[in-house]
Amino acid sequence: MNWVLWSFVIVLGCGLLLSEGASSSRPPVIKVGAIFGLNTMYGETANIAFKAAEEDVNSDPSFLGGSKLQILMNDAKRSGFLSIMGALQFMETNAVAIIGPQTSIMAHVLSHLANELTVPMLSFTALDPTLSPLQFPFFVQTAPSDLFLMRAIAEMITYYGWSDVVALYNDDDNSRNGVTALGDELEERRCRISYKAVLPLDVVITSPVEIIEELIKIRGMESRVIIVNTFPNTGKMIFKEAERLGMMEKGYVWIATTWLSSLLDSNLPLDTKLLNGVLTLRLHTPESRKKRDFAARWKNKLSNDKTIGLNVYGLYAYDTVWIIARAIKTLLEAGGNLSFSNDAKLGSLKGEALNLSALSRFDQGSQLLDYIVHTKMSGLTGPVQFHPDRSMLHPSYDIINLVDDRVHQIGYWSNYSGLSIVPPESFYSKPPNHSSSNQHLNSVTWPGGTSITPRGWVFRNNGRRLRIGVPDRASFKDFVSRVNGSSNKVHGYCIDVFEAAVKLLSYPVPHEFIFFGDGLTNPNYNELVNKVTTGVDFDAVVGDIAIVTKRTKIVDFTQPYIESGLVVVAPVTRLNENPWAFLRPFTLPMWGVTASFFVIVGAAIWILEHRINDEFRGPPRRQIITILWFTFSTMFFSHRETTVSTLGRMVLLIWLFVVLIITSSYTASLTSILTVQQLNSPIKGVDTLISSTGRIGFQVGSFAENYMTDELNIARSRLVPLASPEEYANALQNGTVAAIVDERPYIDLFLSDYCKFAIRGQEFTRCGWGFAFPRDSPLAVDMSTAILGLSETGELQKIHDKWLSKSNCSSPHGSQSGDSEQLNVHSFWGMFLVVGIACLVALFIHFFKIVRDFCQHTPEVGEEEAIPSPKSSRLTKLQTFLAFVDEKEEETKRRLKRKRNNDLSMNANSIISRSASRRPI
């Protein structure tokens, strides 16, 4: 038992030592620190709200069990150093929690101190999305994170159909990380931040020089949607300079984050005339009696005749104090004490001036933090509750439009329901619905006083003429070519499509065409497309530009305006220019089987009808003609006047069905052969071209060369560059190349003039032609929509017919392969089998009846002969059977009738004779 006694003594001693540096009694005053700059809008508002909350908490002495809550305000004066010193001071004075800091920069720093000394730190202004509870467990955001603010802005961008925005922000943690979150949200919606304009810290910016430099850059860019994520001081300077630079006019879109709505609500000096058409957001707080009473109290008493009005951060400041007070109350009611102890890590640090050992560790900090994050109450901001990830319940924002010195609310955004024109709390009882059809906002007055939604972008360099690169072709000039040798006038199929699409746009597109190439040979199209990526030579490329994978990685293409793809063209010979073309639908076996079944069916009908039908009797020549007539007439008549037996009718009907199917197939195949040009060539398609050793021609400048070498593994030595349709024809005729591989539109145009060649096989690539623009160009999207409009109205087809629908050949070559589909016996063996079985069944029944009747047949008396030998007897029986089979059935029936009558007569005579012999003499 000695070891048990010693263990008890050791534990008791350790407890006494720990209690020396700790106070376990309930203090009369419970201290909570606050770190804000009292010379700022947020700090001044928070200070008033803190005092009101402190007064309300202490109005009921029993709320904290006789203790009073005391908010200690540290004026950081917008200084990071003073913020740190204030936090250290609170740690020395045994503060159970700290409200603040005001900025995210200091939140990242002071959160490490809070983690070490387990003192909860709560902030409603440091809303940086990167302040993660995993990294900073003792830091709690009591207002929605800016992640939701950026999500709301991203959904507004999508709602209005914009794709590119410019972000203007200060280079601090809160602004920078907020813009990063905005970029992520936009990317999920296939939008992007095209430019990030970074300004100095709000606290150090004193002149508009840097702001003016960035605004001038933005003015020369395409995007006209500008997001201002900054602070009041910087924000006011931005709009003042934007107005001076003419950037508050029609066509611009300005969206300011919550700093502007707070500035408006605070009634601080602000020239609202500069902000006409600007959109801003405000944290949404539901209307309630408690909120209205507090607003009246603020106006009448709390502000002490100061000019600052109540903004939403005053409401969150008030609720934050109550969150802490309720958590302390719960801790005390659970039997907990508020005690502090020395931190062993700090005690080991030595310094001549720093007394780090004076910093106290809050022993119940973790417990108090747990009660804070599990708070459920109804505050001035509405229901207060935290999700498991520490985010606030139902983050939402008001969306505000500034119009003529007035604040016009156009709608709301909620993380639960998206954009709406009714308060978001009306949706919380319904299932969430973020569908596009459920997103609505009221009308907006944009900069310049217009109510028409701006398209959100203009052409670069403040709207100068677009430089459109076009290929200066040496061949196939129907697609694009100079006009009478002009330096900048161009026409052709591709140009007409482009001009027609531009006319459908809702805005003008000033442009000029610039030729690429010397006009003597076709230019390299890959080099032409690369000129767009630099933004120096061309702003876009128009022409016969194939949309291929390599090019789509560096530029954006419009919707294809014509289908294309690589095809093989080769010399051909015509197969149906001979008098025996009508035999081609059937293969030789098919013809043989069909003819054989005509004979088989005819023979079966003769056998079935010979004994009962007069038309199948007579001389052999007549019977053969009758057989052929019956079998061939089924091709034209389904009913004949001649009566046939039931079995014969069954065979004929089945044969008629088969004949109808065969003739219909034959007719269709023959029609195809006679109406469509059937062509023959050793080259059947790309597969035979690859396996052969012949040389292959391609158009100079086309992507076909690289495709054949890289994708089809065709040796480059087999490829022959050709520059014009004339060279195509000469090379094919004299055998220089076995075939040519080129895009379908070129080949169609070539074949319209040269009729001795044809496309072999099918297209082996699928692509199209489009217009090339720089990556993420909004003009590419609008032009795609315009091209679809041309297609739907039929205008695109009219342009095609104008330039490309011509032919000097009597019949189109099209895409015929030259291999007509012949009908073979394998396709019809089932039907022939049915006909054969029907014939066999009918013949079996017929022969069964004949044998039965023959067995009942006995030769008449005059026909009997002497008893022959066995061999002659079998021969005689066979001859008798064949004669019976050949005999007409009516004769057989008459003979049998006579036989029965004779038998009856003989029986009667025999009876009479026997009766006479018995009569007495």
Side-chain angles (χ1 to χ4, degrees), residues 506-581:
S506 59
Y507 49 88
V509 181
H511 59 275
E512 60 178 335
F513 294 109
I514 302 174
F515 285 100
F516 176 78
D518 55 12
L520 301 177
T521 59
N522 293 333
N524 187 297
Y525 278 53
N526 289 331
E527 294 180 4
L528 175 59
V529 172
N530 285 331
K531 294 288 184 180
V532 180
T533 62
T534 62
V536 176
D537 298 298
F538 301 131
D539 298 310
V541 168
V542 170
D544 46 338
I545 313 298
I547 304 174
V548 295
T549 304
K550 181 179 179 180
R551 297 170 185 170
T552 59
K553 294 179 180 179
I554 58 176
V555 296
D556 279 353
F557 281 96
T558 61
Q559 170 81 13
Y561 59 86
I562 186 174
E563 293 184 357
S564 181
L566 293 179
V567 294
V568 177
V569 63
V572 293
T573 56
R574 295 165 178 77
L575 295 179
N576 57 346
E577 294 182 351
N578 64 81
W580 304 104

Side-chain angles (χ1 to χ4, degrees), residues 64 116 181 434 468 500 684 699 718 735 747 803 812 836:
L64 294 178
E116 181 62 32
H434 277 268
I468 306 295
K684 305 300 182 183
Q699 185 182 170
R718 293 179 57 193
I747 295 302
W803 289 97

Side-chain angles (χ1 to χ4, degrees), residues 889-901:
E889 189 172 3
E890 291 180 358
E891 294 294 331
T892 303
K893 291 180 178 179
R894 284 198 297 268
R895 186 171 60 254
L896 290 175
K897 185 176 181 180
R898 289 197 303 268
K899 180 177 179 296
R900 284 195 297 269
N901 292 334

Side-chain angles (χ1 to χ4, degrees), residues 729-787:
N730 293 333
L732 290 172
Q733 288 175 344
N734 59 31
T736 303
V737 296
I740 292 174
V741 172
D742 204 351
E743 295 178 70
R744 182 62 182 264
Y746 299 123
I747 295 302
D748 286 342
L749 200 59
F750 168 71
L751 295 179
S752 67
D753 292 325
Y754 297 92
C755 310
K756 297 180 180 180
F757 316 103
I759 295 173
R760 311 300 297 156
Q762 304 297 323
E763 295 181 13
F764 55 92
T765 65
R766 293 286 183 181
C767 62
W769 290 356
F771 307 132
F773 291 88
R775 294 300 299 269
D776 303 312
S777 171
L779 184 57
V781 178
D782 292 348
M783 286 292 288
S784 293
T785 304
I787 290 172

Side-chain angles (χ1 to χ4, degrees), residues 54 288 314 373 429 463 684 740 770 806:
E54 179 184 348
S288 65
V373 298
S429 60
K684 305 300 182 183
I740 292 174
K806 63 178 183 177

